[in-house]
Amino acid sequence: MQAARCPTDELSLTNCAVVSEKDLQSGQHVTVKTTPNHKFVFTVKTHHTVAPGSIAFNDLPLSVSSVSNYNFDKSKQCIGAMTIEIDFLQKKSTDSSPYDSDKMAAEFIQQFNNQAFSVTQQLVFSFCDKLFGLMVKDIEAMDASILKGEPASGKKQQKIDIGLMVGNSQVIFEKAENSSLTLVGKAKTKEARQTIINPDWNFEKMGIGGLDKEFSDIFRRAFASRVFPPDIVEQMGCKHVKGILLFGPPGCGKTLMARQIGKMLNAREPKVVNGPEILNKYVGESEANIRKLFAEAEEEQKRLGANSGLHIIIFDELDAICKQRGTGASSTGVHDTVVNQLLSKIDGVEQLNNILVIGMTNRPDLIDDALMRPGRFEVKMEIGLPDEKGRVQILTIHTNKMRSFNLLALDVNIKELAAETKNYSGAELEGLVRAAQSTAMNRHIKATSTVEVDMERAEKLQVTRADFLGSLNNDIKPAFGTNQEDYSSYIMNGIIKWGDPVTHVLDDGELLVQQTKNSDRTPLVAVLLEGPPHSGKTALAAKIAEDSQFPFIKICSPDKMIGHSEISKCQAIKKVFDDAYKSQLSCVVVDDIERLLDYVPIGPRFSNLVLQALLVLLKKAPPKGRKLLIIGTTSRKDVLQEMEMLDAFSTTIHIPNISTGEQLVDALELLGSFTDKERASIAQQLKGKRVWIGIKKLLVLIEMSLQMDPDYRVSKFLSLLRDEGA
């Protein structure tokens, strides 16, 4: 038969072979062999204008060599699923409207029901008054059990080259490469998208300790929508989360978390960018660097649409490039334009749905507000200091290898170490393990004229409990922990319980510590210790703080702020409180408040900036789940009353001076400074008399008297007491 032109436009859209009534009948199927050696099966339609001996096709050219009858085996050759590549027939008639592939598939089955199709066959399809060029990519046979009216067998169906379209066939459209066509609907892709979670991933081996809750929260917010089938996500009108911001103290696992997210996901290797690397001295280069990061994701989204894989971009030290706009002092405003470029790329006019940007910073307060809104870095997760359970996990992770090779001594108790390492960050715990390892190794090194390893003993190398405890006490100290040197200098002489007033103060302090620990209604407890100068207020405050055993204790003292300007003093005080908020339980001692305020009675003059900062910080509740005890000390309660500062404290405890001769003798006895005979003489002199002296001043007078000849010590002491007006 000779190839001829299709008689009408309508017939050219039917995908049928058109012949004369004298040659074949409508509905028959024929095999058409073409040159070069290809074979297609067509369904026949007849038309009176076609000459006998001719066969007409649609406008797509075919060179016919022979035509023969074809009979379908309906048990094996019905189409179960057919994948079709689609594009606009004419490039000039392209448009950007989205086409629903579900409706398209229904229309296709209606138009071409009971017709034959062959793999690589090309045809024209009319939908919504637009012409599309189609090419059959793949045909799967229908499950034979469905044809018999039984439930599907679940077996994988075999691929066939020629099939017959039936009413319950499935048609899947795929966009042709480099096509500008936009498809929506669940039938747009044949393959279920690659599962986003790496199949070899094991959550238990991820090596992140103490961050289980944070990781599950990130997973819920950022990945749940990506794990679900795309059609359900589309029906919900759900957009994927594009940005995660991890913030918190240094060394708590932000970078580790980002690294593990990259490994966990079945995505390309994450692009890791250190903030400062983006900046360039040439104008426009910094912005170009941002564009390069997103170029690959943009290109893939244009090419593959919804099938595009996930691109992960990790920004370390995000605050280096995303500072608040308008705060930079430079004339070029590079920081501002870099922020603008990043804003437009993550969630601008042309949206990318195949990116996940993970930012990390210790200073979320520096980052531009526009980056923090939903649609950009909308999942904000604080990676804080690990709790005791988390510390057990972290120490277990870092000692696993040693344990497996029998290098960890049996006396090492991980739970004991976790209890001892309050407020240690993950990095500090890793440092502790390293320090213990180096201590153990050091035992097996011969330090002679040359340094060499004692190989005989090295084979018995084991890291012991003593190595860990030695490193804990000497080598590694937590950045957000208690520095014993901070408060030990204030109580170097111990607490002298010269009478009931001192015992009452310590008992009240213990009550406030218990309230801070146990009460959920009062996460912030502030107490003011007030009393005359030298009455031992600071020592009592330091003692209450020490006895609390809180993991974070800090003394905010004027002696560390000598010569500071008002602004730098405010910043130093604020830093103490900010550090305290990072710990589960904290105690801040604000010592000698009138000195912090620069108060002098002449004038009078004081620093209003520091006063306002203290008023705010004393009333500011710590973040949820954190507890804070503030202990203030002052010798000028009347001044704080005038400044309306007393209201900022929950309660006030009065610290009195020693007021009777009996109390003074009790103090001398506790100090053990004079002999029994000398103390009896002093008691005789002071019997029934009122005295008024602070314990701190008393210590100075005693030490001064003790430098005298033993015969004159008592008289000198009494003389000094009189001189002091006590």
Side-chain angles (χ1 to χ4, degrees):
M1 298 179 89
Q2 295 295 315
R5 190 171 181 79
C6 202
T8 67
D9 286 346
E10 286 78 14
L11 283 171
S12 71
L13 296 175
T14 60
N15 189 43
C16 289
V18 187
V19 295
S20 167
E21 295 164 352
K22 294 176 182 175
D23 289 334
L24 293 162
Q25 293 174 352
S26 282
Q28 275 185 275
H29 307 294
V30 292
T31 305
V32 178
K33 287 187 178 171
T34 65
T35 51
N37 193 19
H38 284 299
K39 186 170 76 172
F40 297 105
V41 174
F42 286 95
T43 304
V44 170
K45 268 192 187 300
T46 57
H47 196 266
H48 64 277
T49 59
V50 179
S54 296
I55 184 165
F57 301 99
N58 54 23
D59 290 343
L60 301 164
L62 283 175
S63 176
V64 178
S65 63
S66 71
V67 177
S68 57
N69 271 330
Y70 187 88
N71 292 315
F72 275 100
D73 177 353
K74 292 199 176 179
S75 66
K76 294 178 183 172
Q77 288 186 292
C78 286
I79 295 173
M82 181 163 74
T83 307
I84 297 174
E85 199 172 81
I86 183 167
D87 197 0
F88 292 108
L89 184 66
Q90 295 171 316
K91 294 294 179 192
K92 62 184 179 186
S93 67
T94 59
D95 67 13
S96 57
S97 309
Y99 288 90
D100 189 327
S101 55
D102 299 328
K103 290 180 182 172
M104 210 179 252
E107 180 78 19
F108 184 91
I109 291 167
Q110 203 173 341
Q111 281 189 32
F112 300 114
N113 194 15
N114 221 25
Q115 279 199 30
F117 286 93
S118 313
V119 174
T120 71
Q121 179 184 339
Q122 293 181 313
L123 62 146
V124 180
F125 172 50
S126 173
F127 179 73
C128 293
D129 298 329
K130 275 270 186 212
L131 292 180
F132 296 92
L134 311 184
M135 196 269 283
V136 179
K137 275 182 78 174
D138 186 64
I139 300 175
E140 256 181 33
M142 187 172 281
D143 191 336
S145 50
I146 293 176
L147 296 166
K148 293 172 191 168
E150 298 166 7
S153 65
K155 291 181 193 167
K156 192 172 181 185
Q157 293 310 304
Q158 66 182 64
K159 300 273 171 64
I160 49 176
D161 290 330
I162 295 164
L164 185 69
M165 174 69 66
V166 289
N168 55 351
S169 298
Q170 186 188 359
V171 178
I172 297 120
F173 287 104
E174 271 188 4
K175 196 168 72 165
E177 201 170 323
N178 301 324
S179 169
S180 57
L181 176 66
T182 308
L183 289 180
V184 294
K186 66 180 176 186
K188 66 188 168 203
T189 168
K190 178 172 195 298
E191 300 162 28
R193 273 195 216 170
Q194 275 189 314
T195 170
I196 191 157
I197 304 296
N198 197 330
D200 306 327
W201 180 252
N202 181 345
F203 277 96
E204 290 177 9
K205 292 183 182 170
M206 61 197 300
I208 301 180
L211 295 175
D212 299 351
K213 183 183 178 299
E214 288 83 349
F215 198 84
S216 63
D217 283 353
I218 287 175
F219 190 87
R220 175 177 61 82
R221 291 294 312 282
F223 303 122
S225 64
R226 295 180 189 272
V227 173
F228 251 74
D231 50 307
I232 297 177
V233 174
E234 214 160 75
Q235 286 164 20
M236 289 180 77
C238 172
K239 284 185 181 171
H240 300 309
V241 164
K242 296 179 191 168
I244 302 171
L245 183 69
L246 306 177
F247 65 94
C252 285
K254 297 184 294 295
T255 308
L256 175 65
M257 176 84 85
R259 204 182 299 139
Q260 294 295 352
I261 287 171
K263 282 185 193 169
M264 177 192 84
L265 297 176
N266 213 350
R268 278 151 199 71
E269 189 70 23
K271 291 181 182 163
V272 181
V273 188
N274 290 322
E277 286 176 6
I278 289 290
L279 303 176
N280 193 298
K281 64 181 179 180
Y282 296 110
V283 174
E285 280 299 308
S286 303
E287 296 87 323
N289 288 340
I290 295 278
R291 286 195 292 276
K292 280 175 200 163
L293 292 174
F294 292 87
E296 205 176 302
E298 281 180 337
E299 183 272 325
E300 191 169 317
Q301 173 131 326
K302 277 181 188 164
R303 189 160 47 84
L304 297 176
N307 284 339
S308 170
L310 183 64
H311 293 254
I312 300 174
I313 301 166
I314 297 172
F315 282 95
D316 207 358
E317 306 304 337
L318 186 69
D319 51 283
I321 55 166
C322 293
K323 287 191 175 72
Q324 290 275 2
R325 284 171 291 179
T327 56
S330 71
S331 57
T332 55
V334 169
H335 270 108
D336 292 5
T337 52
V338 168
V339 176
N340 293 341
Q341 183 69 74
L342 192 58
L343 290 173
S344 64
K345 282 294 172 195
I346 296 177
D347 187 30
V349 178
E350 291 181 6
Q351 289 190 333
L352 290 172
N353 211 24
N354 60 345
I355 55 164
L356 179 66
V357 184
I358 304 173
M360 292 168 285
T361 180
N362 304 326
R363 298 290 306 276
D365 51 305
L366 294 180
I367 293 173
D368 194 87
D369 295 340
L371 266 172
M372 310 289 268
R373 72 154 174 79
R376 288 170 184 154
F377 287 105
E378 67 180 273
V379 178
K380 292 177 272 295
M381 188 62 59
E382 182 177 6
I383 310 296
L385 296 166
D387 58 9
E388 192 165 324
K389 183 183 163 195
R391 294 196 293 276
V392 169
Q393 289 180 354
I394 294 166
L395 287 165
T396 306
I397 288 163
H398 290 305
T399 54
N400 263 342
K401 203 160 190 179
M402 285 194 287
R403 193 177 288 106
S404 63
F405 288 101
N406 201 27
L407 292 171
L408 195 68
L410 295 173
D411 64 349
V412 176
N413 184 341
I414 296 293
K415 288 188 177 173
E416 179 199 11
L417 288 173
E420 290 292 319
T421 49
K422 291 186 177 77
N423 276 28
Y424 276 66
S425 67
E428 284 158 353
L429 290 169
E430 189 182 357
L432 174 68
V433 174
R434 275 202 304 269
Q437 288 167 340
S438 61
T439 307
M441 287 175 184
N442 198 47
R443 285 201 302 272
H444 300 286
I445 292 174
K446 291 180 190 169
T448 53
S449 54
T450 58
V451 177
E452 43 186 73
V453 177
D454 184 349
M455 289 310 294
E456 288 177 21
R457 292 176 63 201
E459 288 173 11
K460 298 174 186 171
L461 171 69
Q462 277 202 324
V463 183
T464 65
R465 176 175 178 269
D467 297 327
F468 276 101
L469 294 180
S471 303
L472 195 63
N473 295 327
N474 305 320
D475 296 332
I476 308 292
K477 297 289 180 193
F480 299 99
T482 299
N483 187 353
Q484 201 169 351
E485 295 160 14
D486 242 15
Y487 57 77
S488 56
S489 60
Y490 295 105
I491 42 178
M492 59 185 178
N493 295 311
I495 297 295
I496 299 129
K497 296 181 182 175
W498 47 261
D500 289 344
V502 180
T503 314
H504 292 325
V505 170
L506 291 173
D507 289 348
D508 287 350
E510 175 61 23
L511 278 177
L512 292 163
V513 167
Q514 291 307 321
Q515 180 187 345
T516 310
K517 271 184 190 172
N518 303 327
S519 171
D520 292 328
R521 293 185 175 180
T522 54
L524 173 68
V525 177
V527 56
L528 179 67
L529 305 186
E530 61 83 18
H534 311 303
S535 56
K537 299 179 294 296
T538 305
L540 285 166
K543 181 65 177 168
I544 293 167
E546 184 187 38
D547 289 350
S548 73
Q549 294 291 301
F550 282 3
F552 181 93
I553 299 170
K554 197 85 173 170
I555 295 186
C556 179
S557 174
D559 60 9
K560 293 177 185 140
M561 301 182 197
I562 296 169
H564 281 212
S565 68
E566 285 183 303
I567 291 172
S568 62
K569 198 181 276 192
C570 288
Q571 286 170 341
I573 296 168
K574 184 175 182 294
K575 185 178 186 308
V576 169
F577 279 84
D578 284 346
D579 289 351
Y581 297 144
K582 290 174 179 139
S583 171
Q584 301 290 325
L585 278 171
S586 319
C587 177
V588 174
V589 178
V590 185
D591 189 31
D592 217 353
I593 293 174
E594 64 274 14
R595 286 288 69 73
L596 282 173
L597 295 174
D598 298 334
Y599 170 78
V600 284
I602 304 164
R605 183 190 172 278
F606 67 94
S607 165
N608 191 41
L609 267 179
V610 178
L611 172 65
Q612 298 305 327
L614 277 172
L615 283 173
V616 170
L617 292 168
L618 289 170
K619 291 180 181 176
K620 184 185 174 187
K624 192 177 178 184
R626 314 281 162 85
K627 310 278 187 74
L628 175 61
L629 170 64
I630 302 170
I631 306 172
T633 71
T634 181
S635 304
R636 296 300 304 267
K637 182 184 176 185
D638 55 324
V639 172
L640 300 194
Q641 179 83 55
E642 286 295 316
M643 294 176 178
E644 298 182 350
M645 199 175 187
L646 286 186
D647 299 337
F649 290 95
S650 323
T651 182
T652 304
I653 298 175
H654 178 65
I655 314 289
N657 273 348
I658 293 171
S659 57
T660 67
E662 287 76 13
Q663 288 174 340
L664 195 146
V665 174
D666 287 345
L668 293 178
E669 195 172 326
L670 288 166
L671 286 163
S673 306
F674 293 102
T675 63
D676 291 348
K677 188 179 174 186
E678 286 170 334
R679 279 203 298 275
S681 171
I682 293 168
Q684 186 64 36
Q685 295 277 345
L686 297 176
K687 191 174 181 182
K689 291 189 178 175
R690 303 285 298 168
V691 297
W692 188 251
I693 189 165
I695 187 72
K696 194 172 169 187
K697 177 67 80 175
L698 181 63
L699 279 169
V700 173
L701 300 185
I702 291 168
E703 290 304 310
M704 204 169 166
S705 308
L706 291 175
Q707 310 311 311
M708 296 285 292
D709 190 88
D711 296 338
Y712 300 103
R713 290 199 307 199
V714 173
S715 57
K716 180 64 178 174
F717 175 66
L718 293 169
S719 161
L720 288 169
L721 271 180
R722 276 194 297 274
D723 292 347
E724 285 295 328

